[in-house]
Amino acid sequence: MGASQKDFENAMNQVKLLKEDPGNDAKLKLYALYKQATEGPCNVPEPGVLNSISKAKWDAWNALGSLPKEAARQDYVEFVSSLSPSPKSCSLEGPGANRSLPESEDIVVTTEENITTIMFNRPTKKNALTNEMYQDIMLAMKAASKDNSTITVFTGSGDYYSSGNDLTNFMKISGDLKQVAKESSITLRKFVDSFIDFPKPLVAVVNGPAMGIAATVLGLFDAVYASNRATFHTPFSGLGLTPEGCSSYTFPKIMGRAKATEMLIFGKKITATEACAQGLVTEVFPDDSFQKEVWARLKAYAKNPPNAMRIGKQLIRSTEKENLHAVNAEECRVLQERWVSEECMNGIQNFLSRKAKL
Ligand SMILES: CCCCCC/C=C/C(=O)SCCNC(=O)CCNC(=O)[C@H](O)C(C)(C)COP(=O)(O)OP(=O)(O)OC[C@H]1O[C@@H](n2cnc3c(N)ncnc32)[C@H](O)[C@@H]1OP(=O)(O)O
């Protein structure tokens, strides 16, 4: 008998719990089997050779040809079991012992003690946000807004909170640049809307540097706890870009116009202590006790009556909502134009060529 949907879901959870990185070949195989099992034969255009990672993923998926979904599901389950021979011994300590079905490999969603945690989980790329991750985060937020948790937390795995938008995203969408910019603008608008409209207290546990969109949306969170290792950096102008995540409104409101200008226009990187003094961060903790102190506090807060917290949050947010949506729409409109500008192309190219030299 083939693997059931439940076996498949269990296997996906086991992958998240692997103690050791299984290596790139295994990850490609997992990716390909997952896609085949959930979407069937490869149905997306072949990425260009410049996108080596996307190309490798596409090749692996495409190589499965017309393998039926059920067979791919079975192969996935067997392969995961060969990677983790004793799944029962796998467990998570601390927050997140109970995982819900992961939407993608790069976002991990867990619920424990009334707290749903959405973790950026792409540490080798400093948790840079791929197109897929934006979609998965929106799905995770939608689910979190309806689950039984009282508080929702964002955090990052590894040494970064997130380095913001993955600067190779544009190369991964097929179509002409104008069309890509249009689609990205639509995605960005929906993504930021999810933060504006999120109904429960939303907390960021900023474990390390936060850049770009990962930093700007913090202005839409209800509390931001940061390790003293964290920094906050929005290098938009250098990339030929303009502020997003409603930061053109929230940052001046939170920290005053002059400080917001230094960050958003001049690209000044600030420390967690500076961000706290300026009101973007709620409290800073020494890195060595950060996780322990923050999670103890959040667990205590999460015991408060859920409706009171939700309604209280909405009272604070309601006077701002209309404004925030208008700001978001305008920021996305402007960015759609920026993305096709020479300044932006040069900015992204500079990052990519810096990489090529490494
Ligand atoms: C739907 C569309 C929405 C768009 C919203 C608009 C959003 C805008 C922004 O978020 S702008 C901000 C964009 N982010 C950046 O400019 C950061 C770019 N990265 C860096 O400057 C550096 O990588 C670093 C400072 C984050 C870390 O430097 P370092 O410690 O020296 O490490 P590496 O550079 O070697 O990084 C390791 C590995 O990660 C890759 N990587 C890191 N960040 C990104 C990124 N944002 N996009 C793509 N790739 C990133 C880096 O290339 C290395 O990969 P490699 O090991 O070479 O394969």
Side-chain angles (χ1 to χ4, degrees), residues 251-253 255-262:
F251 277 29
K253 192 159 187 263
M255 59 184 78
R257 193 164 60 91
K259 292 288 183 195
T261 299
E262 276 203 309

Side-chain angles (χ1 to χ4, degrees), residues 55-82:
K55 177 79 168 66
K57 288 165 100 176
W58 187 90
D59 285 343
W61 183 11
N62 194 47
L64 295 179
S66 56
L67 182 73
K69 280 185 172 181
E70 298 69 29
R73 194 162 70 182
Q74 174 71 27
D75 288 358
Y76 182 95
V77 170
E78 282 172 10
F79 185 52
V80 171
S81 137
S82 75

Side-chain angles (χ1 to χ4, degrees), residues 232 254-255 270-282:
F232 300 82
I254 291 169
M255 59 184 78
I270 62 170
T271 63
T273 308
E274 287 166 334
C276 190
Q278 291 169 19
L280 182 63
V281 162
T282 313

Side-chain angles (χ1 to χ4, degrees), residues 52-53 122-131 134-135 138 159-160 162-170 172-173 180-181 183-189 191-192 209 211-216 233-236 239 241-245 269 335 339 347 351-352 354-356 358:
S52 52
I53 298 171
R122 206 180 164 223
T124 56
K125 299 286 179 186
K126 310 295 183 191
N127 295 327
L129 301 172
T130 60
N131 296 317
Y134 287 110
Q135 301 297 339
M138 286 189 267
D159 60 343
Y160 263 62
S162 165
S163 64
N165 190 41
D166 187 308
L167 293 175
T168 64
N169 276 349
F170 269 13
K172 293 177 190 154
I173 306 178
V180 172
E183 279 176 33
S184 301
S185 172
I186 293 170
T187 301
L188 178 62
R189 185 161 169 191
F191 181 74
V192 176
M211 294 183 75
I213 182 124
T216 54
H233 189 194
T234 50
F236 297 130
L239 291 164
L241 296 176
T242 45
E244 27 65 347
K269 188 199 304 190
L335 264 179
W339 281 323
F351 172 70
L352 296 177
R354 180 194 77 106
K355 220 168 70 152
L358 291 175

Side-chain angles (χ1 to χ4, degrees), residues 75-280:
D75 288 358
Y76 182 95
V77 170
E78 282 172 10
F79 185 52
V80 171
S81 137
S82 75
L83 293 173
S84 52
S86 333
K88 286 194 184 92
S89 68
C90 293
S91 70
L92 249 192
E93 289 164 12
N98 303 315
R99 290 168 184 273
S100 63
L101 183 63
E103 301 290 349
S104 90
E105 295 150 30
D106 298 331
I107 296 294
V108 176
V109 185
T110 58
T111 301
E112 193 188 5
E113 297 191 41
N114 295 337
I115 301 173
T116 288
T117 303
I118 300 172
M119 184 170 70
F120 309 126
N121 185 38
R122 206 180 164 223
T124 56
K125 299 286 179 186
K126 310 295 183 191
N127 295 327
L129 301 172
T130 60
N131 296 317
E132 209 179 14
M133 286 164 80
Y134 287 110
Q135 301 297 339
D136 289 339
I137 290 168
M138 286 189 267
L139 284 174
M141 290 178 81
K142 200 166 182 188
S145 69
K146 293 185 191 143
D147 70 14
N148 289 330
S149 66
T150 55
I151 292 179
T152 300
V153 172
F154 271 80
T155 193
S157 71
D159 60 343
Y160 263 62
Y161 177 69
S162 165
S163 64
N165 190 41
D166 187 308
L167 293 175
T168 64
N169 276 349
F170 269 13
M171 300 189 310
K172 293 177 190 154
I173 306 178
S174 51
D176 69 42
L177 190 56
K178 276 198 168 160
Q179 184 58 27
V180 172
K182 190 172 174 191
E183 279 176 33
S184 301
S185 172
I186 293 170
T187 301
L188 178 62
R189 185 161 169 191
K190 284 197 213 147
F191 181 74
V192 176
D193 276 349
S194 316
F195 289 85
I196 298 172
D197 293 328
F198 196 73
K200 299 176 181 177
L202 190 58
V203 178
V205 172
V206 185
N207 53 299
M211 294 183 75
I213 182 124
T216 54
V217 291
L218 293 175
L220 296 169
F221 278 63
D222 302 297
V224 177
Y225 297 121
S227 149
N228 60 3
R229 279 187 55 253
T231 52
F232 300 82
H233 189 194
T234 50
F236 297 130
S237 300
L239 291 164
L241 296 176
T242 45
E244 27 65 347
C246 288
S247 59
S248 63
Y249 174 76
T250 56
F251 277 29
K253 192 159 187 263
I254 291 169
M255 59 184 78
R257 193 164 60 91
K259 292 288 183 195
T261 299
E262 276 203 309
M263 277 196 83
L264 295 174
I265 313 297
F266 300 148
K268 184 183 179 193
K269 188 199 304 190
I270 62 170
T271 63
T273 308
E274 287 166 334
C276 190
Q278 291 169 19
L280 182 63

